[in-house]
Amino acid sequence: MKNWHVFRALQHCFLFDVISNSLFMIEEPVYNYLLGYPIATEVLAQVKADLAELQEQGYLQEEPEAEPELKREASLKALCLHIAHDCNLRCRYCFAAEGHFGGQKELMPFAVGQAAIDLLLHNSSDREQLEVDFFGGEPLINFEVVK
């Protein structure tokens, strides 16, 4: 769902529903399912049932997200993509706690990077030059997404 946002914080997984303004702490299988990662077949039915129950109770909404209205003069010209929440160098002096910024080590999925670039291209008006910055502990450990 476009209105459901999953994320990790404080060593837990969360689901935020924009329409109902509801925040849920969720289990790892639900987090993985919502991100499209494979989960064990024996828990898949339960995950789907739990999400359906929350929808039936009105806690999770299925309304489509409205496309943001961007004024032509307010077109996008740059993106900063957090490609890797990890680093292989492990420098002790690093401001980012050796690349993981004090949180879970993760890499940006290809689909997220692709959607971000599509958003930039779609909303850049007639600009001839665009900028994409790759950020993270070490973005090149996620080289396939950078390419």
Side-chain angles (χ1 to χ4, degrees), residues 97-113:
E98 299 178 356
H100 57 84
F101 304 87
Q104 182 88 9
K105 296 177 182 180
E106 294 187 60
L107 300 178
M108 175 184 283
F110 178 82
V112 173

Side-chain angles (χ1 to χ4, degrees), residues 54-116:
L54 288 171
Q55 285 180 299
E56 289 169 13
Q57 294 172 354
Y59 293 113
L60 292 175
Q61 304 297 316
E62 292 189 62
E63 295 179 31
E65 185 174 280
E67 290 293 322
E69 291 184 33
L70 296 176
K71 296 179 182 176
R72 187 157 184 81
E73 63 270 11
S75 65
L76 296 178
K77 65 178 181 177
L79 279 180
C80 181
L81 299 178
H82 189 86
I83 296 291
H85 201 74
D86 191 10
C87 182
N88 57 341
L89 299 176
R90 309 290 184 253
C91 301
R92 289 194 317 254
Y93 59 81
C94 180
F95 76 96
E98 299 178 356
H100 57 84
F101 304 87
Q104 182 88 9
K105 296 177 182 180
E106 294 187 60
L107 300 178
M108 175 184 283
F110 178 82
V112 173
Q114 184 177 33

Side-chain angles (χ1 to χ4, degrees), residues 11-32:
Q11 290 132 9
H12 295 285
C13 300
F14 294 92
L15 165 61
F16 178 71
D17 178 58
V18 174
I19 301 296
S20 68
N21 202 28
S22 299
L23 179 66
F24 303 93
M25 188 180 327
I26 58 176
E27 298 295 326
E28 188 83 20
V30 178
Y31 175 84
N32 290 335

